[in-house]
Amino acid sequence: MTQTRNLITDVAGLRVGNAHDAALGSGVTVALFDEPAVASCFAMGGAPATRETDLLDPDKMVPSIHGVVLSGGSAFGLDAASGVQAYLREREIGFAIREALVPIVCQASSFDLLNGGNKDWGRYPPYRDLGFQAAEQASLNFDLGTAGGGYGATTANLKGGLGSTSATTSSGHRVGALVIVNAIASAVIGDGPHFWAGAYEEGSEFGGLGLPSQVSPKMRSLVWKGGPQLATTIALVATDAVLTKAQARRLAIASHAGLARALRFSHALFDGDTIFAAATGRKPLRDEAAEFTEITALAADCLTRAIARGVYEATALPYPGAQPAWRDLFGEIARD
């Protein structure tokens, strides 16, 4: 088996790019597919900010998409997809309708408008340009933590960020996850340092500390940003398998288990928790039921790990009073 990067780009057929603005305190992450990918999505949060998600329903006619955008900026950030469309159109990539060419780009945005960055951008927000820049940077390797769409992300008690992981099924299918961790709640148990995702860690990808010997009721106490303050954990899971849109929808639904395992808690009224699922179609399913079931299980595992990794890799924002990063508090005991 080819050596992996432990990134979603281990799934053949996609590339990822980041762009962010440090003064703005926000950014954009773009996943571009080498060939149109079968995709769907499922939102379980009470306050999603999305673009072009209805067409991902299995009964809709568009068969595949060209890219997925995960950004900051809440509803303003949805402009980022226009920049990605411009990038693709300049390269003559899109869904052909007679002489018209329409790139199909779907998006979810997270709420990072209160993180201390300068959001006084004038008449139009900067996300369209950031989307174009992120598309230009798309490659097999990309930064995690305080980067791209995860630049301005926060959690209830620690800096959030951009996370990604990958896995391989027993039948050889590749699976991966890409996530902006901008959670309303916490990714760590109690005051830390252990992650709720500790049981799923591979190697020392987020510090190698595992789980505590016991989780007390106090450590399970709810810690959250408070309301009304919106928060959004948004993700893309992908596989190299050949899937239908209905199967991609099921994959998106099943992957929400990973989000619920990695955070205490998720899918709340003020959350916009949304997961896209995409299949690049490089490797057919032989035993369809068994192989697809394993893909859904490992995709959820990848998302669990990616959420912890996004927090682990983050660095604090350069603003007075900004949240500490996990590494600020616990970096000396990490086993990486």
Side-chain angles (χ1 to χ4, degrees):
M1 184 64 68
T2 305
Q3 185 176 8
T4 68
R5 304 171 190 84
N6 198 22
L7 298 171
I8 195 173
T9 47
D10 288 328
V11 175
L14 67 86
R15 294 164 291 126
V16 172
N18 287 327
H20 55 257
D21 183 323
L24 176 70
S26 189
V28 175
T29 295
V30 176
L32 297 180
F33 302 107
D34 296 343
E35 301 292 337
V38 172
S40 191
C41 82
F42 198 73
M44 290 185 67
T50 57
R51 170 172 166 160
E52 295 279 47
T53 53
D54 283 354
L55 61 79
L56 297 175
D57 289 345
D59 65 317
K60 301 303 188 290
M61 58 84 63
V62 174
S64 54
I65 67 173
H66 303 96
V68 170
V69 180
L70 305 177
S71 79
S74 188
F76 299 106
L78 295 176
D79 276 359
S82 295
V84 179
Q85 278 189 313
Y87 173 87
L88 293 170
R89 189 168 181 266
E90 286 182 1
R91 288 150 184 81
E92 299 184 346
I93 297 171
F95 184 68
I97 307 173
R98 295 176 59 184
E99 65 270 19
L101 197 63
V102 183
I104 306 298
V105 180
C106 303
Q107 182 176 354
S109 291
S110 66
F111 186 91
D112 60 2
L113 300 180
L114 302 177
N115 62 10
N118 180 12
K119 307 304 191 293
D120 186 17
W121 49 62
R123 176 167 293 174
Y124 297 112
Y127 291 96
R128 181 175 63 178
D129 290 338
L130 287 170
F132 191 95
Q133 294 167 23
E136 286 185 309
Q137 296 299 315
S139 66
L140 297 179
N141 294 296
F142 57 95
D143 291 335
L144 300 178
T146 305
Y151 188 88
T154 59
T155 73
N157 46 12
L158 293 172
K159 176 70 177 71
L162 183 70
S164 189
T165 60
S166 68
T168 305
T169 71
S170 60
S171 57
H173 290 97
R174 285 280 170 82
V175 183
L178 177 72
V179 61
I180 293 176
V181 189
N182 189 59
I184 196 170
S186 177
V188 296
I189 301 172
D191 295 326
H194 301 280
F195 287 95
W196 289 107
Y200 298 86
E201 186 173 15
E202 297 288 338
S204 298
E205 62 189 350
F206 44 85
L209 301 181
L211 291 170
S213 59
Q214 183 178 2
V215 178
S216 68
K218 182 179 179 180
M219 295 162 74
R220 293 196 301 271
S221 298
L222 295 183
V223 179
W224 61 301
K225 292 177 178 178
Q229 179 167 319
L230 304 183
T232 321
T233 302
I234 51 180
L236 166 68
V237 296
T239 178
D240 59 4
V242 177
L243 300 183
T244 65
K245 281 180 79 173
Q247 287 172 323
R249 170 86 162 187
R250 176 52 50 187
L251 178 58
I253 293 170
S255 295
H256 275 276
L259 196 156
R261 287 194 299 244
L263 298 168
R264 177 78 169 112
F265 49 98
S266 62
H267 306 125
L269 177 63
F270 298 121
D271 277 340
D273 296 346
T274 300
I275 299 176
F276 295 92
T280 61
R282 300 299 182 90
K283 186 178 176 64
L285 298 173
R286 293 188 178 88
D287 183 344
E288 184 171 359
E291 293 180 13
F292 177 66
T293 297
E294 188 178 4
I295 287 170
T296 62
L298 290 191
D301 290 352
C302 282
L303 184 52
T304 299
R305 295 161 48 211
I307 288 171
R309 198 176 185 201
V311 175
Y312 173 74
E313 296 287 354
T315 54
L317 290 172
Y319 314 133
Q323 279 185 327
W326 188 94
R327 289 176 180 267
D328 294 334
L329 303 180
F330 310 115
E332 291 183 359
I333 62 173
R335 298 170 183 169
D336 56 358

